[in-house]
Amino acid sequence: MKFTKMHGIGNDYVYVNCLKEKVPEPEKTARFVSSRHFGIGSDGLILIGPSATADFEMAMYNADGSRGEMCGNGIRCVAKYVYDYGLTDKTNITVETLAGIKQLELTVENQKVSQVKVNMGAPEFKAERIPVTVEGEQAVDVPLEVCGRTYRMTCVSMGNPHCVIFMEEDVRNLDLEKIGPVFEHHARFPKRINTEFVNIIDRNTLRMRVWERGSGETLACGTGACATAAAAIINGKAEGEVTVHLLGGDLKIAWEGGQEPVYMTGGATTVFDGEIQLPEELL
């Protein structure tokens, strides 16, 4: 199987051009290629294919083989891939995902995509659509008990579910390996959850670490950065365009509120191309 390793500010995936390649059993293939000891090493697998409703389709699988609705860093890399590898010459494209069709604006320098701006759609705060089990229609600044401690959470869907926790203590010192899985599998979240732990630096700057559903801690999460910015704005902690500092780099997030779309802008990087022999049980 031919592939390309790419990352969006450290959130790395294995990308396969399914206009040319066939990927058998993508759930099992995702688990195999994601292994950092026995496979290629990544946060998951992303398949780029044809679409009847958009320019391309993105099928995203987490490192544990589960299918994800959307990946903000991943979709920027899809945009870079299809342009840099000559699958399109357009600088405005659409990509079909399980979270709907996304519109992407490509910045090209020296015939390569250097940055991508994505219309991520409007954030969803209705609890049943995230989903999260709470009293009332929304889970905005509500308590959640984890490991004997009460946190204040704001839950948002950006096509996939997020729980945003604003913290006074420095998130860089958190033991995410301990608390991350407990949040992910908490009974309040029937489809599990991506959890963002956030410091407010100022009204336009946030620091974030993320525990991703199905992958564990990653260096960045695009949908998580969007959910975090939207949660900060709706809680009155931020305004306008927000810079989100993640372990792998920065993302620019802009949201005007209400049903306006969230815009995410960031880079995408190609690491290397390769070919791997899949195990016989996957062929």
Side-chain angles (χ1 to χ4, degrees), residues 71-200:
C71 175
N73 293 313
I75 202 170
R76 296 199 314 276
C77 290
V78 168
K80 179 174 177 63
Y81 184 101
V82 298
Y83 187 92
D84 288 4
Y85 286 83
L87 303 184
T88 186
D89 60 0
K90 299 195 297 184
T91 55
N92 288 276
I93 65 170
T94 54
V95 177
E96 178 187 357
T97 75
L98 287 184
I101 295 175
K102 304 302 179 185
Q103 299 175 335
L104 295 85
E105 180 181 329
L106 286 58
T107 299
V108 178
E109 298 177 1
N110 299 319
Q111 300 182 320
K112 300 288 185 182
V113 170
S114 61
Q115 203 167 54
V116 181
K117 180 179 180 180
V118 187
N119 179 336
M120 299 288 285
E124 176 61 73
F125 290 96
K126 288 187 178 179
E128 64 181 13
R129 294 184 182 177
I130 292 170
V132 54
T133 303
V134 292
E135 295 182 3
E137 292 188 359
Q138 297 183 341
V140 175
D141 191 31
V142 298
L144 178 71
E145 186 168 322
V146 174
C147 298
R149 174 177 171 179
T150 300
Y151 296 85
R152 306 294 298 187
M153 70 173 179
T154 295
C155 294
V156 190
S157 174
M158 290 302 308
N160 56 354
H162 293 272
C163 168
V164 181
I165 307 291
F166 295 106
M167 308 192 74
E168 293 295 330
E169 63 200 86
D170 194 328
V171 298
R172 292 172 292 189
N173 299 327
L174 289 178
D175 186 357
L176 238 56
E177 291 291 332
K178 177 182 178 181
I179 65 173
V182 186
F183 276 90
E184 178 181 353
H185 297 279
H186 197 285
R188 288 276 193 97
F189 309 115
K191 293 186 176 180
R192 296 187 292 162
I193 200 76
N194 302 286
T195 310
E196 287 75 37
F197 302 89
V198 185
N199 293 140
I200 304 294

